Amino acid sequence: MSAHLTIPGAQMAEPATPQLLFVGGAGNATLAVDVVEAAIRQARKRGLRIHVTNQEATLAATPAITALVDETSAVDFEVPGTTAAWARERAAAGDRFDVVFGVREMAQEAVAEAADALGRPGNPPHAVHRVRTKDEARAALSAAGFLQPRFLVCADEAEARDFLAGSTGPWVVKPRDAMGSEGVTRIDGPEDLAAALEFLPEEGRGSFIVEEFVEGPEYSAEGVFVDGVPHVLALTSKELLPPPNFFEVEYVIPAILPEDTAREIERQVVAALTALELRYGQFHVELWWTERGVVLGEVHVRNAGGWIHRMLAHVIPGLEWFGLVFDSVLGNPVDKAALKPVRGSAIRFLTPPKGRLVAVEGWDEVLAHPNLIHAELAIAPGDVIEEHRSVGNRVAHIAVGADTSEEAQALARKLEVSVRFVMEPVQAPVS
């Protein structure tokens, strides 16, 4: 028999409040702030104290986030090693960070480096760098036995033309490191190459990718790592603008797919994430379903954009996507069997034609619809719509929920048609 000895007058030390280091905070956009606000709410529910780091200008531009957290620091996550060095200094001064996390694509390497520096759960920095560099991710997946399109990293037009001559078209020209489908073009022959290179962002023209175009519908897998193991929450189907553009104008969750196809996609995604040495946080994996099976696209160790975080919360009632990451680190139980879609959701992104906006008709009726999850109109009369280049041209969206994916998709499309953009031509300046 053992006895518990209590010393008179002694007091038990209070456990320290666990702290979240939120690297990169929010970008200065409605969606970015909404994502981070959701993550902060879910962190608070788990008793976390929150310290946000971000670039100084963006901290100043996102006061809604600053008001919600305990502390902020100006740290530039885009400068390699800077966040990790700052975290080590804070730890040496007595700070303890129990969870390291971030939602911004460009901050993911800093998240991994800081977690590694602090000895906290995270992805290996080299693994994050690899998936953020498109050609390195392609090469790694191909070496691991996953289907990948043929590609080449090109330094100039001559190298690209040589690749076209030795491969099968059509092809895709895109930057090595970008997001939001910026600068991505499909070309059908060498005669289209010069225009595609001109379409690349200025900083992406010195080193770019040309790869064979993948024929087949596009999907993505949304998920979370629980105890280091990837768990797919749902698959998303996509509709894209027709070539030469590649950004999405519709998502449907869960994807309308045969059950055996969905299972095979999930199996391949889990295997690929494991092969890429990824083990922490959230994931968003893009892919195609082809005659040969799954062809994997880009891999992201963050939540999906495009308001998918809100759509998932509808299709899986009670889901706290960010909270699952914190639960995994804090040792809270996670019932993975309950993380299954039981309803449907869809979103349509509205892309008016080029010109100057005169008026928008039908928007108030959209906002009044009882099935609306979220809607935003980001343009006003007088604004000029430019040529479509990236997701930045998605100037409005309508997200709805329903009992099934099919019902949600039909409703979102119906509401989109009910909105009319009245446009006028933009007069060329007089020289």
Side-chain angles (χ1 to χ4, degrees):
M1 174 180 285
S2 62
H4 178 70
L5 178 64
T6 301
I7 301 175
Q11 294 184 347
M12 297 292 291
E14 290 291 329
T17 301
Q19 181 161 218
L20 164 64
L21 173 57
F22 203 127
V23 178
N28 185 20
T30 304
L31 171 59
V33 171
D34 194 82
V35 165
V36 174
E37 286 178 341
I40 288 171
R41 288 194 300 271
Q42 293 168 30
R44 290 293 193 204
K45 285 182 65 174
R46 288 151 179 84
L48 286 164
R49 187 177 186 277
I50 304 166
H51 190 141
V52 164
T53 64
N54 203 341
Q55 293 157 323
E56 186 173 6
T58 316
L59 275 176
T62 52
I65 299 304
T66 302
L68 292 176
V69 303
D70 300 287
E71 192 172 355
T72 62
S73 295
V75 184
D76 192 344
F77 57 82
E78 292 196 65
V79 178
T82 300
T83 300
W86 175 90
R88 280 192 291 265
E89 291 174 3
R90 294 294 297 237
D95 276 359
R96 175 182 171 85
F97 297 108
D98 301 271
V99 184
V100 183
F101 182 69
V103 298
R104 298 176 70 180
E105 173 68 22
M106 303 300 287
Q108 291 310 312
E109 290 190 59
V111 172
E113 290 169 355
D116 184 64
L118 295 169
R120 305 309 301 159
N123 289 305
H126 74 270
V128 177
H129 176 78
R130 181 168 51 203
V131 297
R132 290 218 64 255
T133 309
K134 295 178 174 62
D135 52 289
E136 292 185 16
R138 285 255 185 270
L141 287 168
S142 181
F146 296 94
L147 291 178
Q148 292 283 277
R150 289 182 60 195
F151 72 93
L152 182 69
V153 179
C154 302
D156 54 32
E157 186 173 342
E159 287 188 6
R161 289 191 180 278
D162 287 344
F163 178 76
L164 299 187
S167 58
T168 303
W171 301 267
V172 176
V173 179
K174 62 184 180 181
R176 289 186 75 189
D177 180 8
M179 55 188 295
S181 300
E182 183 181 9
V184 181
T185 309
R186 168 180 156 156
I187 63 174
D188 294 311
E191 66 277 5
D192 301 326
L193 180 60
L197 297 182
E198 186 66 26
F199 196 61
L200 289 166
E202 189 70 34
E203 63 275 13
R205 295 180 185 179
S207 181
F208 57 92
I209 295 173
V210 181
E211 66 183 28
E212 293 179 339
F213 178 78
V214 179
E215 297 281 359
E218 187 173 333
Y219 302 92
S220 62
E222 327 303 342
V224 63
F225 293 88
V226 179
D227 299 328
V229 178
H231 177 80
V232 176
L233 295 169
L235 300 180
T236 303
S237 61
K238 303 181 178 185
E239 179 186 328
L240 281 66
L241 277 181
N245 300 112
F246 279 89
F247 59 87
E248 301 96 345
V249 292
E250 179 185 83
Y251 301 148
V252 178
I253 308 176
I256 303 169
L257 279 170
E259 190 173 327
D260 57 344
T261 301
R263 281 199 303 267
E264 175 61 12
I265 290 174
E266 292 186 16
R267 186 188 71 79
Q268 293 256 13
V269 166
V270 168
L273 291 166
T274 303
L276 291 169
E277 303 176 77
L278 299 169
R279 62 195 182 206
Y280 176 76
Q282 300 163 301
F283 60 83
H284 167 67
V285 179
E286 299 169 0
L287 57 102
W288 299 268
W289 181 253
T290 74
E291 293 180 351
R292 297 186 296 158
V294 176
V295 177
L296 292 164
E298 294 181 12
V299 176
H300 305 276
V301 282
R302 56 160 172 81
N303 60 288
W307 301 92
I308 284 177
H309 70 292
R310 287 209 183 192
M311 297 169 70
L312 277 179
H314 172 81
V315 304
I316 307 176
L319 173 70
E320 294 191 343
W321 194 4
F322 310 97
L324 290 172
V325 179
F326 310 145
D327 286 335
S328 188
V329 177
L330 298 172
N332 299 333
V334 174
D335 182 6
K336 290 190 288 186
L339 301 176
K340 299 291 183 185
V342 297
R343 298 188 294 201
S345 181
I347 189 168
R348 293 291 298 183
F349 297 98
L350 283 56
T351 54
K354 290 173 59 177
R356 179 177 286 105
L357 180 67
V358 176
V360 181
E361 300 173 351
W363 190 251
D364 288 342
E365 289 75 12
V366 168
L367 296 179
H369 200 282
N371 286 59
L372 189 70
I373 291 176
H374 194 267
E376 181 180 13
L377 183 63
I379 54 173
D383 289 346
V384 174
I385 307 300
E386 303 289 353
E387 178 184 6
H388 297 325
R389 292 189 68 91
S390 71
V391 294
N393 285 99
R394 302 191 309 198
V395 297
H397 66 264
I398 303 168
V400 298
D403 290 336
T404 68
S405 295
E406 292 83 355
E407 291 171 341
Q409 182 184 54
L411 175 58
R413 292 179 176 184
K414 178 181 177 181
L415 291 175
E416 178 188 27
V417 171
S418 73
V419 177
R420 179 170 175 260
F421 294 95
V422 182
M423 311 294 294
E424 66 179 7
V426 177
Q427 300 298 324
V430 178
S431 58

